[in-house]
Amino acid sequence: MQKTNSKAFLVILLGVLSAFGPFVVDLYLPSLPQLAQFFDTTASMTQLTLTTAMIGLAVGQLLLGPMSDKFGRKMPLIISLLIYIISTILLIFSPNIETMIVLRAVQGLSSAGSVVISRAIATDLYRGREMTRFFGLLMTINGIAPIISPILGSLLLEYIGWKGVFFFLAIIGIVVLLFCLR
């Protein structure tokens, strides 16, 4: 007998997964001035970390969507979360801004798995009106994440600095991975 997840669990998990990409991009926005100071670089170079993360997020959706169609949902999601966690931890130890730019691209690419696969799971599970309602919930959560994340990022930055923001993102990735393994 196959064990199924409750609807509330799926709403929360898929909601968090669908908002993961925007959250990853926006949470560290308040850290950009600190990054420029820490790496002794220009604002343009720190803004490039944002650009590469967004490019990675876009390209990742194009790559990981078809991969999840071919190989199933769970394994590509788990692998993308593992790569996300590793890249996020490596970001904390970036020796220079160039390394950070590359790692942000990898982080964006890997966080795209959560976004695209969560929506694919929703379409696998629901049809008709039920799917419309479920997507409405996902989009509500997805719409709130870019609003809340810079505010939360500012609070985190005040208390734990820019490295702490990435540590927080890594912890979120680990928690989400553990729930996905369920």
Side-chain angles (χ1 to χ4, degrees), residues 33-177:
Q34 264 192 14
L35 289 174
Q37 184 179 3
F38 182 84
F39 289 117
D40 191 28
T41 190
T42 63
S44 298
M45 288 298 283
T46 58
Q47 289 169 1
L48 198 52
T49 65
L50 176 64
T51 304
T52 55
M54 293 176 82
I55 291 169
L57 186 61
V59 171
Q61 290 182 62
L62 294 173
L63 296 173
L64 293 167
M67 284 178 65
S68 75
D69 288 339
K70 183 173 182 168
F71 300 110
R73 307 291 186 223
K74 192 169 185 175
M75 194 50 61
L77 179 59
I78 301 290
I79 291 169
S80 69
L81 284 169
L82 286 170
I83 293 169
Y84 164 81
I85 292 165
I86 292 166
S87 65
T88 303
I89 291 169
L90 290 173
L91 277 162
I92 297 168
F93 302 103
S94 294
N96 54 48
I97 193 68
E98 293 81 13
T99 303
M100 184 165 225
I101 290 167
V102 171
L103 287 171
R104 282 291 288 172
V106 173
Q107 186 189 42
L109 187 82
S110 59
S111 67
S114 301
V115 175
V116 72
I117 294 171
S118 66
R119 293 178 185 155
I121 291 170
T123 58
D124 291 343
L125 296 175
Y126 301 105
R127 297 280 179 260
R129 289 186 129 176
E130 193 174 23
M131 183 173 73
T132 304
R133 276 189 236 122
F134 196 83
F135 264 105
L137 285 169
L138 288 183
M139 292 306 108
T140 300
I141 294 168
N142 212 10
I144 292 171
I147 297 167
I148 292 174
S149 55
I151 297 167
L152 179 58
S154 293
L155 291 171
L156 291 170
L157 184 63
E158 188 173 325
Y159 295 103
I160 58 178
W162 72 267
K163 289 184 178 193
V165 171
F166 286 107
F167 181 76
F168 180 76
L169 285 170
I171 295 297
I172 291 172
I174 291 166
V175 169
V176 169
L177 176 64

Side-chain angles (χ1 to χ4, degrees), residues 9-32:
F9 176 80
L10 286 172
V11 167
I12 293 168
L13 180 62
L14 295 179
V16 169
L17 286 171
S18 74
F20 206 64
F23 194 75
V24 166
V25 170
D26 294 335
L27 186 73
Y28 95 111
L29 284 177
S31 303
L32 291 177

